[in-house]
Amino acid sequence: MSSAIRPIGSEIDTSVPAPAARSQGTDAIFTRLKSSAFHELVGASLQGDREAMGTLFAWINPAIIRYCRARIGRTGSAYSSADDVAQEILLAVLGALPRYKDNCESFLPFVYGIASHKVADFYRRSGRDRSEPVADLPETMDVGLGPEQITLRGEMRTRLVSLLDTLAPRQREILVLRLVVGLSAQETAAAIGLTATAVRVAQHRALTRLRGALTATDWL
């Protein structure tokens, strides 16, 4: 990592990425966050390397946005509230970074722990019950799809959202972290303050409930 010191604001951009940046595959985003290179970035950032810090936040930014959009959903036709909360999370992580003392492999659950609290704060500020159905699945653009495929994907997405809304808030959060964000059971447990066993049990119960809610048409 370069040791050149520049003003921190010039490296850390907490803004929502441009549409082109969102086209990066979700799998690639989260695979990168599990890589040794990511852990090295965390280590260098904790040592005060500002260039590493800028790259670190550029890497976690799309993951945090996806998490917030899955937890909060749209405001009308836009994700403005979710994206605002994502900004708050990134700033909170930046402020907490000097106090982080755990190992680099635990940094991602640490980030999602902050994210979970910020989303809860959002619900308190807005006077919304956390059990209110608001879960949403962020859209991804596939330019190879035709109009019929896009319509079918939209219908499937709407159905999945309605199914998620039938779950208890904790079950929904676990599914978001495990299936949308891609955290392991251990990482999810660290993020929300449960044991890995409790996460697996809750996930199993949530999936069982979802399967029970599926109709014959859903399986086609």
Side-chain angles (χ1 to χ4, degrees), residues 10-123:
S10 66
E11 284 112 4
I12 298 179
D13 181 4
T14 59
S15 60
V16 177
R22 294 187 188 131
S23 63
Q24 183 180 12
T26 300
D27 289 344
I29 291 172
F30 296 111
T31 297
R32 188 167 64 175
L33 297 183
K34 302 295 184 66
S35 68
S36 58
F38 178 75
H39 298 150
E40 290 173 5
L41 276 175
V42 174
S45 298
L46 294 175
Q47 294 298 317
D49 185 329
R50 296 198 175 201
E51 185 175 343
M53 204 179 297
T55 303
L56 175 68
F57 278 78
W59 282 23
I60 66 174
N61 188 23
I64 292 303
I65 290 171
R66 185 172 179 84
Y67 171 78
C68 290
R69 291 181 176 185
R71 289 293 314 281
I72 295 173
R74 289 184 173 92
T75 303
S77 61
Y79 287 107
S80 55
S81 294
D83 291 346
D84 287 345
V85 175
Q87 300 276 325
E88 293 180 20
I89 292 166
L90 291 170
L91 291 172
V93 172
L94 177 61
L97 198 60
R99 303 190 300 276
Y100 182 75
K101 303 299 181 185
D102 212 337
N103 58 53
C104 296
E105 289 75 13
S106 299
F107 183 73
L108 196 57
F110 167 75
V111 170
Y112 280 110
I114 291 175
S116 179
H117 283 97
K118 287 296 182 182
V119 169
D121 287 344
F122 163 78
Y123 284 115

Side-chain angles (χ1 to χ4, degrees), residues 2 5 16 19-20 29 51-52 70 73 94 109 124 142 162 173 186-187 204 212 215 220:
S2 168
I5 301 297
V16 177
I29 291 172
E51 185 175 343
L94 177 61
R124 281 192 289 269
D142 186 341
S162 68
E173 181 171 11
Q186 189 64 49
E187 290 167 334
H204 174 74
T215 66
L220 297 179

